[in-house]
Amino acid sequence: MNKRDTESRLGDVLLRMGTITNEQLADAVARQHAGDARALGVLLLELGYAEARHVELALLRQQALRGRLTCEDGLRLLEEAREETQRVGNSFSELVAAAEEL
């Protein structure tokens, strides 16, 4: 497996996104090695380690890293990034406002 393939594995993408921890990934992968045939994304969802929107975004990023992203998927990825940036900005603004009230 080359470096590009390693960097584009779903678990690695989710780790870089901060969606899951190393321990959660190790648990899911261990379950697969023990015979659980479910896809990693499905396992992470069913174990409660990730939300569907994060897995979907990671799958899009995986396709981008592998050079297989369609224009439509790229636009969806950009929209997701914009929404996430806005959500983080709103959370930060709320934290600042709460801190100012203290």
Side-chain angles (χ1 to χ4, degrees):
M1 185 176 295
N2 65 41
K3 183 178 178 185
R4 182 176 175 179
D5 289 339
T6 301
E7 290 175 349
S8 67
R9 292 184 302 189
L10 181 62
D12 293 321
V13 174
L14 287 163
L15 281 172
R16 282 194 307 278
M17 289 171 56
T19 300
I20 60 172
T21 65
N22 283 313
E23 293 78 18
Q24 291 169 329
L25 177 58
D27 179 41
V29 170
R31 290 170 188 259
Q32 286 181 318
H33 288 305
D36 194 325
R38 291 177 289 177
L40 181 64
V42 172
L43 266 173
L44 293 168
L45 287 171
E46 292 183 5
L47 291 169
Y49 295 158
E51 295 178 20
R53 67 185 178 95
H54 292 131
V55 173
E56 182 180 346
L57 182 58
L59 289 168
L60 285 171
R61 288 181 178 178
Q62 181 184 53
Q63 292 303 310
L65 289 166
R66 292 181 176 175
R68 296 186 217 140
L69 190 69
T70 66
C71 183
E72 180 180 285
D73 287 340
L75 290 172
R76 196 165 80 218
L77 183 59
L78 286 172
E79 180 61 22
E80 283 280 339
R82 185 193 64 73
E83 289 174 3
E84 189 66 23
T85 300
Q86 186 176 27
R87 195 171 15 262
V88 169
N90 290 342
S91 296
F92 182 73
S93 296
E94 291 169 8
L95 286 172
V96 168
E100 288 174 349
E101 289 179 12
L102 296 175

